[in-house]
C-alpha cells in the first residue's frame, strides 16, 4: 500500500470514491436533505480546493482517501473502499495526514458509522450526536502527539 498526496488532477477520482462509499455505507442513515448536503459539499470547488488530500493506492487503484481542512486541524473526509476496509488503510491515511499537521488537536465530526473507527484511532467524543442540514455527526477530538 502506498500513501501519497492526491494531486489536483486526481481529486475528482477521490471525491467519486468518497461519494460511492458514503452511498454504500452511510446514506441509509440520513434523510434526503443530508445526502444532498453531502453531495453539495463535494461539488463545492472552493471548499474542496482548500483541503489537503491523501490517498492510499494498490498499484493504480485508489483504495482510500482522507481530506484535512483548517491547515491540518480537522478531518473533513475519510473514506475507504469497502473491499479494502479492516486492513489498516484508514489508520495509515490518518497517520500520514497527522504527520503533516502541527496542530496540537485534530477534530472531526464523525458519522454514526465511523464513531468506533475514530475511537480506535484515539479520538474522544466532546459532545453528543448532533444534526445539521440533515447530517448526523458526533464532534470528536484527537490530541496530536506529533505536534510541537
Amino acid at each position: 500500500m502506498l500513501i501519497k498526496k492526491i494531486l489536483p488532477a486526481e481529486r475528482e477520482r477521490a471525491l467519486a470514491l468518497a461519494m460511492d462509499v458514503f452511498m454504500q455505507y452511510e446514506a441509509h442513515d440520513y434523510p434526503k436533505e443530508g445526502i444532498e448536503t453531502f453531495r453539495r459539499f463535494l461539488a463545492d470547488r472552493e471548499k474542496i480546493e482548500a483541503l489537503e488530500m491523501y490517498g492510499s493506492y494498490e498499484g493504480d487503484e485508489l483504495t482510500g482517501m482522507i481530506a484535512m481542512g483548517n491547515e491540518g486541524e480537522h478531518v473533513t473526509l475519510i473514506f475507504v473502499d469497502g473491499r479494502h476496509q479492516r486492513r489498516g488503510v484508514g489508520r495509515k491515511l490518518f497517520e500520514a495526514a497527522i504527520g503533516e499537521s502541527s496542530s496540537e488537536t485534530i477534530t472531526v465530526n464523525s458519522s454514526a458509522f465511523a464513531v468506533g473507527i475514530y475511537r480506535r484511532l484515539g479520538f474522544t467524543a466532546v459532545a453528543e450526536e448532533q444534526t445539521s442540514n440533515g447530517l448526523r455527526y458526533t464532534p470528536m477530538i484527537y490530541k496530536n502527539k506529533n505536534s510541537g
Side-chain angles (χ1 to χ4, degrees):
M1 171 186 350
L2 172 67
I3 306 289
K4 65 178 184 175
K5 282 190 179 181
I6 294 178
L7 302 173
E10 300 171 308
R11 284 180 178 242
E12 288 304 317
R13 186 173 160 199
L15 297 174
L17 171 74
M19 190 68 205
D20 289 347
V21 175
F22 175 82
M23 293 303 292
Q24 185 174 0
Y25 294 97
E26 298 188 46
H28 61 85
D29 283 338
Y30 297 100
K32 286 183 182 181
E33 177 191 20
I35 295 168
E36 283 308 308
T37 297
F38 187 72
R39 249 188 244 282
R40 279 192 308 274
F41 174 75
L42 293 182
D44 186 328
R45 293 297 147 231
E46 187 175 322
K47 287 182 182 174
I48 293 299
E49 287 176 8
L51 301 174
E52 189 74 33
M53 291 188 187
Y54 298 85
S56 61
Y57 296 84
E58 293 287 338
D60 289 337
E61 181 185 8
L62 178 65
T63 59
M65 61 85 68
I66 187 170
M68 303 290 288
N70 298 342
E71 299 180 10
E73 293 180 357
H74 184 76
V75 178
T76 304
L77 302 166
I78 184 168
F79 290 94
V80 176
D81 181 283
R83 296 169 295 146
H84 298 273
Q85 291 179 5
R86 300 197 175 277
R87 295 184 184 177
V89 174
R91 179 175 295 280
K92 296 277 190 209
L93 284 165
F94 179 66
E95 288 171 353
I98 67 166
E100 297 293 319
S101 174
S102 60
S103 178
E104 291 181 19
T105 58
I106 296 170
T107 59
V108 69
N109 291 328
S110 177
S111 67
F113 177 82
V115 167
I117 296 165
Y118 284 113
R119 282 196 177 116
R120 287 190 295 280
L121 289 173
F123 282 81
T124 55
V126 294
E128 295 296 317
E129 183 177 89
Q130 301 174 24
T131 303
S132 176
N133 298 314
L135 291 176
R136 294 174 35 221
Y137 62 92
T138 301
M140 302 181 84
I141 194 165
Y142 174 87
K143 301 291 184 187
N144 189 2
K145 298 164 197 75
N146 298 323
S147 68

